[in-house]
Amino acid sequence: MVGSVYIIAVRALIEDSEGRILLIKRSSNSKTNPSTWELPGGKVGAGESIEEALKREVKEETGLEITPHQVVGVAEQKFPVINAIHIIMRCGAGGEVELSHEHEGFAWVEPGDIGSYQLADWLKDFIENNLNQGTVEEDSGLKRIIGLMKGFRR
């Protein structure tokens, strides 16, 4: 029996000066997670460091220049053939959001309002799991999201 194949993805938790979190909406024709909201980021390419991949992906998807700070969490996403591990990093950002063709919207979201968005399964599962386990770093935007989302569970 062959074991599962994993890919590594990186995600940017970007907060603005008002404490809102940047979410981007995947296009309706996306192969994975169509029309859902998620954190910017994507797959780590061969030979890339995690930070290099995150900077590249966020620049491609949003036009923003970022400075990765620290890992705030990890999420798993299962597909029929492969699984993805999403490493979520808190980042500083500069510039104006200019979306790629892969995305059809962006929003700066108050942490308490994130539950009203149709989130990608991996992000929804991550938030719900951490509501139960309390495993997110204390000083992160995700900790604030989780703290404000007590009524999020479906």
Side-chain angles (χ1 to χ4, degrees):
M1 182 173 152
V2 175
S4 295
V5 174
Y6 284 87
I7 61 166
I8 303 295
V10 286
R11 299 294 175 168
L13 176 67
I14 302 169
E15 290 181 89
D16 69 6
S17 61
E18 298 172 34
R20 299 175 301 176
I21 306 293
L22 177 62
L23 293 180
I24 56 176
K25 185 177 183 183
R26 295 184 68 90
S27 68
S28 59
N29 61 359
S30 176
K31 293 179 189 175
T32 57
N33 304 313
S35 298
T36 59
W37 294 84
E38 62 186 6
L39 301 172
K43 294 179 229 161
V44 177
E48 274 186 312
S49 73
I50 289 171
E51 285 192 4
E52 289 168 340
L54 188 56
K55 288 178 180 180
R56 176 186 53 77
E57 284 283 353
V58 172
K59 180 72 172 170
E60 288 174 5
E61 292 181 349
T62 69
L64 296 175
E65 299 283 345
I66 62 161
T67 303
H69 295 302
Q70 77 267 4
V71 173
V72 295
V74 177
E76 183 176 11
Q77 182 177 20
K78 295 180 185 265
F79 294 105
V81 178
I82 62 167
N83 296 317
I85 301 297
H86 298 268
I87 300 169
I88 304 163
M89 296 185 74
R90 172 184 257 166
C91 298
E96 297 292 321
V97 176
E98 294 179 30
L99 291 177
S100 72
H101 67 280
E102 297 174 343
H103 297 88
E104 57 189 39
F106 75 94
W108 291 99
V109 181
E110 293 287 340
D113 296 336
I114 199 168
S116 64
Y117 287 78
Q118 182 182 351
L119 301 176
D121 288 343
W122 69 266
L123 182 55
K124 179 181 163 202
D125 291 346
F126 176 77
I127 292 170
E128 287 179 344
N129 289 340
N130 284 284
L131 277 172
N132 296 328
Q133 298 171 10
T135 56
V136 174
E137 186 173 311
E138 191 64 36
D139 185 34
S140 73
L142 285 176
K143 186 73 166 187
R144 289 188 318 101
I145 291 169
I146 291 164
L148 292 168
M149 291 183 60
K150 299 297 182 191
F152 178 72
R153 294 185 194 122
R154 298 183 197 271

